[in-house]
Amino acid sequence: MAYSAQALICGWGRKMRCSMARDFSQAFSFPARRLLVRFASSKLFIGGLSFDTNETALRDAFAEHGEIVQVKVICDRMSSKSKGYGFVQFSSQEEAAMALQKMHGESLDGRNIRVEYAEKEG
């Protein structure tokens, strides 16, 4: 059974119905835009923190990028030491986007941090 080019683009080899995409750029760019919008939020995940970094230091590092609503460094229940990651929530998505762009890969307390949009729980 022969598949149409459209079925191969949208179904990756499986026979299935999909919207009428006229070319590759249209078929692949729309889902990518949807993912960017879906994960954009005002809450950021901060990974690669030093175990000595506390909430005050994290707040001070991100404060210049906008109004911070909440800062949380995740700690071990037994030892109360940092697990090396935390969250910063800004008052708007625009401020979070600016902080992500400026702070990703920067050094904080001697470690290069990783900044990403936080995913929703559950």
Side-chain angles (χ1 to χ4, degrees):
M1 173 178 272
Y3 292 102
S4 67
Q6 187 177 4
L8 288 174
I9 291 170
C10 299
W12 289 285
R14 295 180 305 224
K15 187 176 179 181
M16 62 184 286
R17 291 183 175 208
C18 65
S19 63
M20 300 294 282
R22 297 284 180 217
D23 60 18
F24 285 104
S25 64
Q26 194 177 14
F28 291 108
S29 66
F30 179 71
R33 281 185 291 188
R34 196 171 20 165
L35 284 175
L36 289 174
V37 172
R38 185 173 142 204
F39 290 120
S41 72
S42 62
K43 191 171 188 177
L44 299 176
F45 167 83
I46 318 299
L49 292 175
S50 166
F51 297 117
D52 298 324
T53 302
N54 59 25
E55 291 177 0
T56 304
L58 191 58
R59 180 182 295 276
D60 291 344
F62 281 83
E64 68 186 66
H65 302 292
E67 182 182 345
I68 296 176
V69 175
Q70 182 183 25
V71 176
K72 182 71 177 166
V73 173
I74 307 303
C75 297
D76 182 68
R77 288 182 186 168
M78 300 300 270
S79 67
S80 299
K81 292 194 177 209
S82 168
K83 288 188 173 185
Y85 68 95
F87 298 91
V88 176
Q89 184 171 7
F90 287 89
S91 61
S92 72
Q93 289 183 359
E94 292 79 18
E95 291 173 339
M98 181 63 73
L100 185 145
Q101 181 182 7
K102 299 282 186 186
M103 294 297 292
H104 182 72
E106 291 295 314
S107 179
L108 179 63
D109 291 339
R111 306 239 351 226
N112 289 341
I113 59 172
R114 188 176 78 249
V115 182
E116 301 171 2
Y117 287 113
E119 295 181 15
K120 302 269 187 211
E121 291 183 32

